[in-house]
């Protein structure tokens, strides 16, 4: 009995979009179906090669594309692993995991062009050219076959069917031509052949088609007779089957790599860079790596899995081999094919093989060099890359106790207070004036906020450049780095800035002694909230700020306390309340100290809370704070 089932909600929306939107690149449906067929054959090929109880004949593995013009049918058959009834339901009833997640993220995009353009929609793309799709499949190891059928958005049905050989036949009922769209071409040998050539040439299995040709009729060449021709049909393999990674770089165009990137679903963007590697040496391998442009939406979550496809002599042995990439390059996509890896190796063993380690080491250096080249030769592109993945490089510096700094430090960039754009550490150090001791940085939520920080005043007054740290990881990363080209990093809010105070601005010794008692009293009024109250050397225009004594800065305190493990906010930087003794407010403080201790207490509280606000730290009791301000006003 056939029963109509509904697609999962989001699949339905996507299908609607696909069917109803005018999409210019419909031809990719064939790429998607062939790619699925090829994946399915990879699975059975691998099984047959590694299981000695199975017979294996290479000739059994092929894809056939067949046209039935009269009935407007296009059939794509494969001899792959097939699908059980449950798999038909699971795999084709909902957009495959990868696709559906992206869809969730993009689901506010209104225009179908964008949605379909941004990610491969796999099997579903067949509805761009067909108004009915049937899938007849027999799974490996099963005696039963099933037919899945759907007309699109309204649902699908599954019923038992007859099919002799294991594998899958997908039949598309091609749409009728419309005013603006020619669908007939998807029933033309020539068009299909060129689509296959364009997108699927390197598929390792033969893609066969019955090709019709014309030849002189036998006997028609005898003298005196008119030449006669006859049509004949012959099964041909349409693709060259040479995998792109085995081809010579010179034969390949940028477009070929981009096609490969989409065909493999490495990403829905266009890669910023591809790296094609052929190595013959201690270990021989071919690899094609890509640096994506856009960050996958799950990139900075624990769902994201890094890894490269791993082939052994052209046979896929692992979809995502994580051991080929260090975590800090986890954004790299692509594949590696090596003759020196055994097909039968288990995942556990694979990790430990010398060959794999050598390849991984090699790739790491290649990726680093290519990124450095990009930075040197195409700054704009590099910045786009850095926008997406810079954070990952900084995590890389921080993790493993800073042991990767040699690989990564030249790749770092930060926003510069002087240049008003991203600069590298090398650029910063190169233009440091001779007397400048440190690489100064200021940390905060955003560039706008940092620019207003009072703590930056003194460094700015000396005319020194500052790096602005806006990512949580930044300060932790440079702590791990410690220095760059022998220059230490220094936070503008740390105790000693290593700057000379101009003679005329130094407080006189007498003043300092005088102020000491005032500051002591303020400190005791604030009890354990601050470690000290001091005359500031860094403030110019602002009356107060907080700085930190010791290892932990205030910015680090904020970040650490925002982590779930420290939720009760038990991380504390040693805070120092700095007072600008050249500011009018200081006179008022002194006056209160001499004449009215209650007022001093009020002023101290208000100033401390102001300093907290400037740092973006929460005020314990906002009501009391505002009431105190009112008290001062009236
Ligand atoms: P994706 O290929 O991105 O996973 P698809 O929607 O194209 O998404 O396919 C969904 C799933 O259906 C595949 O992952 C695969 O498990 C299964 N599938 C599709 N086509 C075939 C096929 N020809 N043979 C076997 N399984 C297939």
């Amino acid at each position: 009995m056939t029963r109509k089932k509904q697609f999962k909600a989001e699949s339905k929306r996507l299908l609607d979009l696909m069917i109803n939107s005018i999409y210019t690149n419909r031809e990719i449906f064939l790429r998607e179906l062939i790619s699925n067929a090829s994946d399915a054959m990879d699975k059975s090929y691998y099984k047959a090669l590694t299981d000695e109880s199975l017979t294996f004949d290479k000739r059994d593995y092929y894809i056939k594309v067949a046209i039935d013009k009269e009935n407007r049918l296009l059939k794509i058959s494969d001899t792959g692993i097939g699908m059980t009834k449950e798999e038909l339901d699971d795999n084709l009833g909902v957009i495959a995991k990868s696709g559906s997640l992206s869809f969730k993220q993009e689901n506010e995009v209104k225009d179908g062009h964008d949605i379909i353009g941004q990610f491969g929609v796999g099997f579903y793309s067949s509805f761009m050219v067909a108004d009915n799709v049937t899938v007849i499949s027999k799974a490996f190891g099963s005696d039963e076959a099933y037919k899945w059928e759907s007309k699109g958005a309204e649902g699908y049905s599954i019923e038992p069917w007859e099919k002799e050989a294991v594998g899958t036949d997908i039949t598309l009922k091609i749409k009728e031509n419309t005013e603006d769209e020619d669908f007939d071409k998807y029933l033309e040998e020539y068009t299909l052949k060129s689509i296959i050539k364009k997108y699927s040439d390197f598929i390792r299995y033969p893609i066969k088609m019955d090709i019709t040709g014309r030849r002189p009729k036998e006997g028609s060449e005898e003298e005196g007779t008119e030449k006669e021709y006859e049509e004949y049909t012959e099964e041909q393999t349409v693709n060259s089957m040479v995998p792109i990674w085995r081809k010579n770089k010179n034969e390949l165009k940028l477009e070929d790599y981009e096609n490969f990137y989409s065909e493999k679903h490495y990403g829905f963007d266009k890669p910023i860079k591809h790296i094609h590697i052929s190595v013959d040496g201690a270990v021989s391998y071919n690899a094609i790596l890509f640096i994506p442009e856009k960050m996958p939406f799950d990139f900075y979550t624990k769902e994201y899995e890094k890894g490269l496809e791993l082939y052994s002599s052209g046979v896929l042995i692992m979809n995502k081999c994580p051991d080929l990439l260090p975590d800090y390059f986890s954004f790299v996509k692509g594949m590696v094919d090596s003759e020196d890896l055994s097909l039968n190796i288990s995942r556990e063993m694979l990790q430990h093989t010398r060959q794999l380690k050598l390849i991984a080491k090699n790739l790491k250096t290649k990726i680093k060099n290519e990124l450095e080249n990009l930075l040197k030769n195409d700054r704009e592109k590099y910045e786009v890359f850095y926008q997406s993945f810079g954070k990952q490089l900084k995590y890389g510096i921080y993790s493993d106790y800073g042991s990767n700094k040699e690989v990564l430090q030249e790749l770092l960039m930060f926003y510069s207070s002087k240049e008003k754009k991203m600069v590298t550490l090398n650029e910063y150090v190169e233009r440091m004036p001779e007397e400048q001791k440190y690489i100064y940085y200021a940390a905060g939520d955003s560039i706008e906020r940092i620019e207003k920080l009072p703590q930056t005043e003194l460094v700015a007054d000396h005319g020194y450049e500052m790096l602005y740290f806006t990512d949580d990881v930044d300060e932790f990363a440079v702590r791990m780095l410690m220095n760059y080209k022998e220059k230490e990093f220094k936070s503008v809010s740390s105790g000693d800035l290593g700057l000379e105070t101009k003679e005329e601005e130094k407080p006189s010794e007498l003043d300092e002694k005088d102020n000491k008692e005032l500051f002591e009293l303020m400190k005791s009024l604030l009890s354990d909230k601050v470690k000290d109250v001091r005359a500031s050397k860094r403030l110019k225009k602002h009356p107060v700020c907080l700085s930190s004594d010791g290892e932990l800065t205030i910015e680090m305190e904020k970040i650490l306390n925002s982590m779930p493990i420290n939720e009760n906010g038990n991380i504390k930087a040693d805070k120092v309340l700095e007072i600008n003794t050249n500011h009018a407010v200081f006179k008022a403080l002194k006056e209160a100290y001499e004449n009215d201790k209650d007022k001093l207490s009020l002023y101290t509280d208000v100033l401390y809370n102001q300093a907290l606000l400037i740092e973006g730290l929460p005020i314990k009791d906002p009501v009391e704070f505002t009431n105190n301000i009112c008290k001062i006003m009236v």
Side-chain angles (χ1 to χ4, degrees):
M1 229 221 29
T2 337
R3 175 165 68 83
K4 189 145 271 172
K5 296 194 185 189
Q6 291 301 311
F7 284 106
K8 305 267 159 57
E10 61 190 23
S11 309
K12 200 166 177 307
R13 284 177 62 190
L14 185 56
L15 273 169
D16 279 337
L17 269 165
M18 196 140 37
I19 294 160
N20 300 321
S21 69
I22 304 155
Y23 184 54
T24 47
N25 203 19
R26 290 179 195 267
E27 66 186 23
I28 58 127
F29 80 93
L30 194 55
R31 172 190 84 188
E32 299 294 310
L33 295 182
I34 287 177
S35 158
N36 281 348
S38 166
D39 287 350
M41 284 198 292
D42 273 343
K43 286 177 196 155
S44 48
Y45 195 92
Y46 181 72
K47 263 206 168 87
L49 272 184
T50 51
D51 185 340
E52 278 166 19
S53 66
L54 299 170
T55 53
F56 173 72
D57 186 344
K58 210 168 173 213
R59 283 169 303 184
D60 292 341
Y61 296 86
Y62 63 90
I63 297 165
K64 174 101 192 216
V65 176
I67 307 164
D68 173 355
K69 242 186 191 166
E70 217 170 304
N71 297 308
R72 298 190 74 78
L73 297 179
L74 176 65
K75 183 159 129 189
I76 295 103
S77 313
D78 66 64
T79 58
I81 194 129
M83 283 178 272
T84 61
K85 188 181 176 203
E86 289 68 36
E87 283 165 345
L88 281 167
D89 198 15
D90 287 349
N91 296 340
L92 308 184
V94 66
I95 294 171
K97 291 133 270 163
S98 52
S100 77
L101 284 172
S102 326
F103 183 60
K104 268 186 202 146
Q105 192 210 19
E106 301 292 347
N107 66 1
E108 292 317 320
V109 186
K110 307 229 169 22
D111 183 334
H113 294 249
D114 282 342
I115 286 209
I116 297 160
Q118 275 172 24
F119 56 95
V121 281
F123 170 76
Y124 287 78
S125 59
S126 38
F127 288 102
M128 296 195 297
V129 297
D131 35 39
N132 185 312
V133 179
T134 62
V135 180
I136 297 169
S137 196
K138 186 171 181 181
F140 182 88
S142 160
D143 300 328
E144 300 158 351
Y146 289 91
K147 181 171 100 167
W148 179 102
E149 182 162 12
S150 171
K151 287 190 167 24
E154 64 223 55
Y156 61 93
S157 59
I158 299 176
E159 62 190 302
W161 208 253
E162 290 294 317
K163 185 179 187 317
E164 207 169 308
V166 168
T168 304
D169 300 339
I170 298 183
T171 307
L172 311 184
K173 175 103 195 312
I174 299 295
K175 293 184 183 189
E176 295 291 342
N177 282 350
T178 64
E179 257 176 44
D180 350 86
E181 198 76 42
D182 171 20
F183 288 103
D184 285 357
K185 66 179 178 204
Y186 301 118
L187 294 162
E188 297 295 341
E189 260 172 44
Y190 176 79
T191 314
L192 295 170
K193 213 172 133 179
S194 29
I195 299 175
I196 294 171
K197 270 272 172 212
K198 182 166 166 192
Y199 297 106
S200 314
D201 193 53
F202 61 88
I203 294 283
R204 294 186 309 116
Y205 306 97
I207 303 170
K208 296 181 183 180
M209 273 180 80
D210 291 333
I211 301 291
T212 317
R214 261 157 63 87
R215 63 184 168 203
K217 214 171 179 175
E218 241 174 272
S220 75
E221 273 163 276
E222 278 163 35
E223 232 168 286
T225 53
E226 187 92 343
K227 254 191 191 173
E228 279 184 62
Y229 288 88
E230 61 176 2
E231 284 205 338
Y232 73 101
T233 307
E234 177 186 71
E235 190 174 71
Q236 287 180 7
T237 296
V238 183
N239 56 329
S240 73
M241 294 200 293
V242 181
I244 176 169
W245 58 90
R246 291 257 177 86
K247 286 196 177 157
N248 197 323
K249 275 176 243 184
N250 312 334
E251 292 168 42
L252 294 162
K253 295 193 292 281
L254 179 66
E255 204 190 340
D256 296 319
Y257 291 105
E258 288 179 353
N259 271 334
F260 182 64
Y261 184 82
S262 336
E263 199 275 341
K264 283 287 183 183
H265 293 188
Y266 288 144
F268 310 120
D269 50 352
K270 276 215 167 95
I272 271 201
K273 189 154 187 67
H274 66 263
I275 310 169
H276 190 158
I277 308 165
S278 302
V279 174
D280 264 322
V283 50
S284 302
Y285 67 93
N286 295 298
I288 296 184
L289 308 182
F290 293 98
I291 316 278
E293 177 188 354
K294 295 204 179 99
M295 190 178 80
F297 65 94
D298 62 349
F299 187 65
Y300 290 109
T301 70
K302 44 179 197 313
E303 273 73 44
Y304 181 81
E305 276 178 77
K306 66 163 183 174
L308 300 175
E309 280 181 308
L310 186 60
Y311 293 76
S312 152
S313 306
V315 181
L316 183 70
I317 54 175
M318 209 184 203
N319 270 324
K320 273 193 179 166
C321 177
D323 307 307
L324 286 167
L325 291 174
D327 278 343
Y328 49 82
F329 289 153
S330 62
F331 46 82
V332 174
K333 302 282 180 186
M335 52 71 53
V336 173
D337 184 11
S338 173
E339 297 156 13
D340 299 327
L341 292 170
S342 141
L343 195 61
N344 280 305
I345 197 158
S346 73
R347 285 182 186 210
E348 292 68 40
M349 284 301 290
L350 189 64
Q351 259 182 346
H352 304 295
T353 58
R354 191 182 57 87
Q355 289 92 332
L356 196 81
K357 284 186 181 157
L358 262 173
I359 297 175
K361 195 167 156 225
N362 236 318
L363 295 182
K364 179 178 87 180
T365 315
K366 286 271 182 200
I367 298 167
K368 170 193 178 241
N369 292 344
E370 287 298 328
L371 286 173
E372 281 183 9
N373 285 343
L374 191 66
L375 173 61
K376 231 183 269 150
N377 305 323
D378 196 341
R379 179 83 167 216
E380 216 170 295
K381 264 198 180 163
Y382 187 81
E383 287 190 23
V384 173
F385 153 76
Y386 197 78
Q387 179 81 20
S388 298
F389 303 109
K391 220 194 269 185
Q392 189 65 10
L393 302 181
K394 293 185 277 193
Y395 283 129
I397 297 258
Y398 178 67
S399 56
D400 301 326
Y401 306 100
S403 58
N404 310 311
K405 67 181 184 190
E406 292 306 322
V407 187
L408 297 173
Q409 59 186 2
E410 301 301 339
L411 296 172
L412 297 182
M413 287 185 124
F414 297 100
Y415 186 87
S416 152
S417 62
K418 266 200 164 163
E419 301 288 310
K420 305 284 178 213
K421 61 174 193 194
M422 302 297 279
V423 301
T424 64
L425 294 177
N426 190 47
E427 286 159 357
Y428 182 102
V429 169
E430 288 283 298
R431 55 176 171 250
M432 266 169 82
E434 212 171 311
E435 78 282 1
Q436 186 184 337
K437 286 194 214 129
Y438 299 113
I439 300 174
Y440 292 107
Y441 68 83
D445 292 342
S446 65
I447 289 165
E448 295 72 34
R449 252 191 118 134
I450 298 174
E451 290 207 303
K452 293 197 180 125
L453 277 182
Q455 289 91 328
T456 59
E457 283 191 306
L458 186 62
V459 180
D461 201 51
H462 275 75
Y464 295 154
E465 182 173 8
M466 282 168 276
L467 299 175
Y468 289 175
F469 287 1
T470 48
D471 273 337
D472 283 0
V473 64
D474 291 349
E475 203 168 1
F476 294 88
V478 299
R479 282 300 169 102
M480 211 41 104
L481 220 47
M482 288 191 302
N483 50 52
Y484 176 81
K485 298 215 166 147
E486 287 161 28
K487 301 287 181 195
E488 251 181 77
F489 290 91
K490 193 77 152 173
S491 162
V492 294
S493 39
S494 65
D496 173 25
L497 284 176
L499 295 172
E500 292 298 320
T501 317
K502 291 175 195 149
E503 211 43 53
E504 68 274 16
E505 287 176 10
K506 277 188 183 160
S508 72
E509 271 174 42
L510 204 73
D511 278 353
E512 271 187 50
K513 190 165 161 279
D514 227 22
N515 299 343
K516 208 173 160 216
E517 285 164 24
L518 163 62
F519 291 149
E520 282 295 326
L521 181 57
M522 287 175 77
K523 184 181 154 190
S524 69
L525 286 170
L526 291 168
S527 60
D528 57 350
K529 291 186 202 119
V530 296
K531 197 188 149 208
D532 208 357
V533 179
R534 278 182 212 151
S536 178
K537 291 185 186 146
R538 81 189 85 219
L539 291 172
K540 297 278 151 192
K541 296 194 290 283
H542 291 75
V544 280
C545 74
L546 283 175
S547 64
S548 56
D549 249 9
E551 275 303 291
L552 211 59
T553 64
I554 294 167
E555 203 53 32
M556 289 166 104
E557 170 191 305
K558 264 197 279 183
I559 293 159
L560 291 171
N561 282 334
S562 70
M563 295 177 177
I565 42 165
N566 302 318
E567 63 189 337
N568 37 12
N570 43 12
I571 305 281
K572 285 247 178 311
D574 287 334
K575 299 188 189 70
V576 176
L577 182 66
E578 296 196 6
I579 309 283
N580 182 353
T581 49
N582 297 319
H583 197 281
V585 152
F586 185 62
K587 277 201 202 86
L589 273 175
K590 269 187 125 162
E591 220 172 83
Y593 173 64
E594 271 146 32
N595 307 322
D596 184 346
K597 292 282 178 321
D598 282 344
K599 212 173 200 175
L600 181 72
S601 166
L602 188 67
Y603 284 2
T604 304
D605 188 72
V606 168
L607 285 174
Y608 168 71
N609 280 318
Q610 281 184 358
L612 286 180
L613 280 178
I614 293 169
E615 283 301 319
L617 287 167
I619 289 185
K620 267 243 169 66
D621 190 343
V623 177
E624 193 191 4
F625 172 62
T626 46
N627 285 341
N628 281 347
I629 289 182
C630 292
K631 270 192 212 159
I632 295 173
M633 290 166 75
V634 293

